[in-house]
Amino acid sequence: MRIKPTLGAAVCVYLIYSAIILATWGVVGARYANMVSADVVLTSLVLPLALGTVFLAAAVSWLGWWKPAVKEERRGGPRWALALVLIGMTGMVVVNGGAANWSGFSPTHLLMLVAAGGDGWI
């Protein structure tokens, strides 16, 4: 590990990630109010998130933070807490999926939203 994971180091990584997203939005002329229409999903969501992901993967690799990021030394809380979170998340997916107007999405638009990680569905 090159640098010990600290709040300051994590904030620096986060600020650079955010700057990449905002700079990409500025370059492509993204409008925050129109992030999910079919014609702008690729440039407004997929491209900035892909560039941010590349940066995060490179930063975490260079800093040597993969092991502490993906492996806990000791197990977290009780199993019922995990079950409660999973039930809640499943419920949200079902409710939001049932409320969505799926006929209003073209297949290409859905593919771009899935590629963006679903961030534009909100």
Side-chain angles (χ1 to χ4, degrees):
M1 184 175 327
R2 288 182 192 228
I3 297 175
K4 182 180 178 185
T6 63
L7 179 61
V11 168
C12 288
V13 170
Y14 170 75
L15 290 174
I16 295 169
Y17 170 81
S18 296
I20 290 169
I21 301 292
L22 292 173
T24 306
W25 283 349
V27 169
V28 300
R31 289 177 300 139
Y32 189 76
N34 186 24
M35 290 291 196
V36 296
S37 64
D39 56 336
V40 297
V41 171
L42 181 64
T43 57
S44 296
L45 290 174
V46 176
L47 179 62
L49 291 174
L51 293 174
T53 300
V54 168
F55 164 73
L56 286 178
V60 170
S61 295
W62 185 81
L63 293 167
W65 290 359
W66 281 116
K67 184 176 180 183
V70 298
K71 184 174 192 264
E72 293 290 333
E73 293 300 321
R74 67 176 186 85
R75 239 179 88 79
R79 288 188 184 267
W80 63 264
L82 175 61
L84 188 65
V85 169
L86 291 175
I87 290 168
M89 290 177 68
T90 302
M92 285 187 273
V93 168
V94 168
V95 168
N96 285 318
N101 177 15
W102 295 105
S103 63
F105 294 103
S106 70
T108 304
H109 188 188
L110 285 174
L111 181 64
M112 290 298 130
L113 289 174
V114 169
D119 292 341
W121 293 16
I122 300 171

